[in-house]
Amino acid sequence: MSDFLHDFARRFADLDAGNLHRLGELYADEVHFTDPLHEVVGLEALQRYFAALYANVTQLDFEFIGFDPVREGEGYLRWVMSYRHPRLNCGQLISLEGCSLLRWNGEGKVERHRDFFDAGALLYQHVPLLGPAIRWLQRRLT
């Protein structure tokens, strides 16, 4: 199980805007992908989602820091995603910790991918005007 997680993480980290056709090597045709901002069903829809994601950033990197098998065909990856978007955080690097629940089939392809992360830390806190208001509110609540 841990071998699958390590291999998937390595291959996923190698993805970029120029090789998204390789998603079919990692994901089943009927993949169900969810994160706090999106829900995507099917490999073609996942390819469109990733193409749009890579089109809007100038840098996107994943560092995988944890590999946690749960049972046969299921496990978690813990990661740090670093990215640059020209309209967020003045184009400076943004880093975010998260984890992914993966369930894969007997053919070694992921059928379920669910990401868990703080959407505010990913996006909202870095939007001009909205970001300062969110940070002010967070300080008030703590």
Side-chain angles (χ1 to χ4, degrees):
M1 282 191 297
S2 182
D3 289 344
F4 176 89
L5 293 170
H6 283 273
D7 184 58
F8 179 91
R10 180 187 53 77
R11 294 165 67 195
F12 189 89
D14 287 341
L15 291 173
D16 60 37
N19 64 8
L20 293 178
H21 62 278
R22 293 175 52 198
L23 285 170
E25 299 170 11
L26 299 173
Y27 292 98
D29 289 341
E30 67 282 358
V31 62
H32 184 180
F33 175 91
T34 309
D35 69 24
L37 303 171
H38 301 91
E39 185 164 5
V40 178
V41 177
L43 181 58
E44 288 182 23
L46 186 65
Q47 288 171 322
R48 286 191 303 273
Y49 170 71
F50 274 87
L53 178 71
Y54 278 97
N56 290 313
V57 296
T58 57
Q59 178 184 346
L60 179 61
D61 299 302
F62 283 87
E63 176 188 3
F64 290 92
I65 57 175
F67 307 86
D68 304 309
V70 174
R71 61 181 134 285
E72 191 62 39
E74 184 174 341
Y76 286 90
L77 291 173
R78 289 177 288 124
W79 43 261
V80 176
M81 178 179 69
S82 300
Y83 72 102
R84 291 180 198 273
H85 188 289
R87 296 191 332 232
L88 298 176
N89 198 33
C90 300
Q92 298 300 308
L93 191 66
I94 298 169
S95 293
L96 171 77
E97 290 185 35
C99 70
S100 300
L101 168 64
L102 301 177
R103 291 189 190 121
W104 57 93
N105 61 28
E107 298 169 3
K109 292 191 176 186
V110 171
E111 295 179 327
R112 182 72 171 110
H113 181 151
R114 182 163 186 179
D115 283 346
F116 299 90
F117 58 82
D118 179 351
L122 172 76
L123 178 64
Y124 308 125
Q125 291 178 14
H126 306 288
V127 174
L129 299 179
L130 184 59
I134 290 173
R135 288 188 294 276
W136 174 83
L137 183 59
Q138 288 174 325
R139 284 192 303 273
R140 296 284 304 201
L141 292 173
T142 55

